Amino acid sequence: MFGVIKPYPSPIISGRGVDVDFPMLAGCLALLGLGLVMITSASSEVAAVQSGNALYMMTRHLIYLVLGLIACVATMMVPVATWQRLGWLMLIGAFGLLIAVIVPGIGREVNGSMRWIGFGMFNVQPSEIAKVFVVIFLAGYLIRRQQEVRESWMGFFKPFIVLLPMAGLLLMEPDFGATVVMMGAAAAMLFLGGVGLFRFSLMVALAVGAVFVLVQAQPYRMARLITFTDPWSDQFGSGYQLTQALIAFGRGEWFGVGLGNSVQKQFYLPEAHTDFVFSVLAEELGVVGSLATVGLFVFVSIRAMYIGMWAERAKQFFAAYTAYGLAFLWIGQFLINIGVNVGLLPTKGLTLPFLSYGGSSLIICCASLGLLLRIEWESRNNMGSEEAEFQESDFAEEPTHGRR
């Protein structure tokens, strides 16, 4: 397992010590710290009633946070070329996990959905792992079939031979939100990979049609679609969660009611520490705190896109497409979660990256951060191949690319 980890050189161990993209790292650490504070506040009442310990959820989240940081460091030590070489194996692993989670006796059902595989006290959510593995596989495909993707219909449709069955498995859980995020990131990667505008427009039209059919296929999805347009028409029924979230936003006003003083977290707002933690944040920190948080998300998302652009300039195209894909995953989850919280989108169970309570999501976000930091480091040091040999003297001088 540890054979893929190269202890030297790496962003952690180099001639200049820790050599990472500090603006990116600082932005994500700020989100992780804010998330820990908000989880502590939003979960205190629920944790006190359910376990007798108001800090129970905070303690579990802190454990996940430590595991996430370990995953981040470990990922930074794996050469990007190794991820490219293992793309097919990771894709097979993703399929295996998504099949296992819907098998009775293996998958664990929570609130009517089979999205988790239980390991003792902890649950693993395969969809979070599968989304990243799909990005890595698709980045490799765009490198291998670049000319075909740009010039032929077959090169354009081949990825969907893999993506559509995976989307089907996600819908069987069901996990509609993860399906939308994964397919959206894949579509964006194909566009950046050179797919023509006509074919891309056709793909978007087919995707919109598929979403419409999927919404019509399940009554609960149609009910959510109708409810979010006017949640107050059934505020104690299907619109309850959204109306409580909107009340939290209203109570927050400009500067909030103060950290820890939320009323909505006291059993009014369901899932206050998971899917709707941003509503509690808005209530306690107000418009100013909410916009500052959004600003942090915008910063790390744009920084991730820039990392992809820098890798592309260094002609490390697999790394570039991977960075773009990870950025789109973050952007998709961020837009959907915030959209749901403010009532712009139908209610959907999707965590807020780096901020929400949830082990798999948090650990995968941290691992994705580690991969982005590795990509940035390799592109800055012109390291495109894991077979390259490097000495400590190669890293004695600061790079002079002048791109920041």
Side-chain angles (χ1 to χ4, degrees), residues 279-344:
S279 296
V280 177
L281 184 150
E283 183 181 3
E284 295 188 349
L285 304 183
V287 172
V288 174
S290 300
L291 291 179
T293 304
V294 171
L296 273 175
F297 275 112
V298 171
F299 171 76
V300 298
S301 299
I302 292 176
R303 192 73 178 182
M305 295 293 288
Y306 267 103
I307 288 174
M309 184 183 70
W310 295 330
E312 192 170 3
R313 287 179 178 175
K315 300 189 183 303
Q316 299 174 7
F317 297 108
F318 170 79
Y321 290 135
T322 300
Y324 291 142
L326 294 176
F328 286 126
L329 288 181
W330 289 359
I331 292 169
Q333 287 194 224
F334 162 68
L335 290 177
I336 292 176
N337 184 278
I338 299 295
V340 166
N341 274 254
V342 301
L344 293 177

Side-chain angles (χ1 to χ4, degrees), residues 189-381:
M189 290 176 69
L190 285 169
F191 180 73
L192 292 177
V195 170
L197 186 60
F198 174 74
R199 281 177 287 161
F200 182 77
S201 301
L202 177 62
M203 177 176 59
V204 172
L206 291 174
V208 171
V211 170
F212 179 77
V213 171
L214 290 171
V215 168
Q216 294 279 351
Q218 294 291 339
Y220 80 91
R221 291 182 188 141
M222 180 56 70
R224 285 181 176 180
L225 184 64
I226 295 172
T227 300
F228 100 97
T229 58
D230 184 16
W232 303 101
S233 62
D234 189 16
Q235 67 183 79
F236 297 110
S238 57
Y240 178 78
Q241 199 167 25
L242 180 54
T243 55
Q244 296 304 313
L246 294 176
I247 290 171
F249 277 93
R251 292 192 74 252
E253 298 184 349
W254 284 103
F255 298 102
V257 297
L259 191 61
N261 293 328
S262 168
V263 172
Q264 294 305 103
K265 70 180 182 183
Q266 299 178 11
F267 304 100
Y268 291 102
L269 177 61
E271 310 296 339
H273 61 294
T274 55
D275 301 341
F276 282 85
V277 67
F278 189 76
S279 296
V280 177
L281 184 150
E283 183 181 3
E284 295 188 349
L285 304 183
V287 172
V288 174
S290 300
L291 291 179
T293 304
V294 171
L296 273 175
F297 275 112
V298 171
F299 171 76
V300 298
S301 299
I302 292 176
R303 192 73 178 182
M305 295 293 288
Y306 267 103
I307 288 174
M309 184 183 70
W310 295 330
E312 192 170 3
R313 287 179 178 175
K315 300 189 183 303
Q316 299 174 7
F317 297 108
F318 170 79
Y321 290 135
T322 300
Y324 291 142
L326 294 176
F328 286 126
L329 288 181
W330 289 359
I331 292 169
Q333 287 194 224
F334 162 68
L335 290 177
I336 292 176
N337 184 278
I338 299 295
V340 166
N341 274 254
V342 301
L344 293 177
L345 293 173
T347 303
K348 188 89 264 16
L350 205 62
T351 57
L352 189 59
F354 297 104
L355 220 65
S356 294
Y357 177 85
S360 297
S361 175
L362 186 64
I363 292 172
I364 291 299
C365 282
C366 290
S368 299
L369 169 62
L371 182 51
L372 285 167
L373 293 175
R374 177 78 193 201
I375 289 170
E376 188 276 337
W377 181 77
E378 287 197 11
S379 66
R380 177 157 43 89
N381 289 284

Side-chain angles (χ1 to χ4, degrees), residues 32-45 47 54-62 265 272-274 277 280 354-358:
L32 288 171
L34 179 61
L36 180 62
V37 172
M38 293 313 306
I39 294 303
T40 304
S41 175
S43 67
S44 58
E45 301 295 332
L55 300 179
Y56 175 75
M57 296 292 187
M58 184 274 287
T59 303
R60 285 177 62 90
H61 187 76
L62 188 58
K265 70 180 182 183
H273 61 294
T274 55
V277 67
V280 177
F354 297 104
L355 220 65
S356 294
Y357 177 85

Side-chain angles (χ1 to χ4, degrees), residues 60-255:
R60 285 177 62 90
H61 187 76
L62 188 58
I63 293 172
Y64 288 132
L65 180 55
V66 172
L67 293 175
L69 293 176
I70 293 173
C72 178
V73 172
T75 305
M76 275 192 280
M77 298 178 72
V78 180
V80 175
T82 301
W83 297 108
Q84 183 176 0
R85 190 178 69 248
L86 299 178
W88 273 103
L89 291 177
M90 288 188 284
L91 182 70
I92 294 171
F95 270 108
L97 287 171
L98 292 178
I99 292 171
V101 77
I102 59 177
V103 175
I106 298 179
R108 180 174 292 180
E109 184 174 351
V110 179
N111 296 329
S113 297
M114 297 276 286
R115 300 181 186 176
W116 297 269
I117 297 176
F119 293 93
M121 296 178 58
F122 302 99
N123 292 326
V124 174
Q125 192 169 358
S127 60
E128 295 291 338
I129 302 172
K131 286 183 294 187
V132 174
F133 284 4
V134 163
V135 164
I136 293 172
F137 163 76
L138 191 55
Y141 174 82
L142 290 172
I143 297 303
R144 294 190 303 271
R145 305 287 184 177
Q146 187 176 57
Q147 198 71 18
E148 192 177 355
V149 168
R150 293 179 177 182
E151 297 180 357
S152 73
W153 284 93
M154 186 56 66
F156 169 65
F157 280 119
K158 277 182 181 178
F160 292 97
I161 298 174
V162 171
L163 292 172
L164 291 179
M166 188 165 287
L169 290 171
L170 287 171
L171 291 172
M172 290 176 67
E173 297 182 8
D175 196 342
F176 187 66
T179 306
V180 171
V181 170
M182 183 191 74
M183 296 300 286
M189 290 176 69
L190 285 169
F191 180 73
L192 292 177
V195 170
L197 186 60
F198 174 74
R199 281 177 287 161
F200 182 77
S201 301
L202 177 62
M203 177 176 59
V204 172
L206 291 174
V208 171
V211 170
F212 179 77
V213 171
L214 290 171
V215 168
Q216 294 279 351
Q218 294 291 339
Y220 80 91
R221 291 182 188 141
M222 180 56 70
R224 285 181 176 180
L225 184 64
I226 295 172
T227 300
F228 100 97
T229 58
D230 184 16
W232 303 101
S233 62
D234 189 16
Q235 67 183 79
F236 297 110
S238 57
Y240 178 78
Q241 199 167 25
L242 180 54
T243 55
Q244 296 304 313
L246 294 176
I247 290 171
F249 277 93
R251 292 192 74 252
E253 298 184 349
W254 284 103
F255 298 102

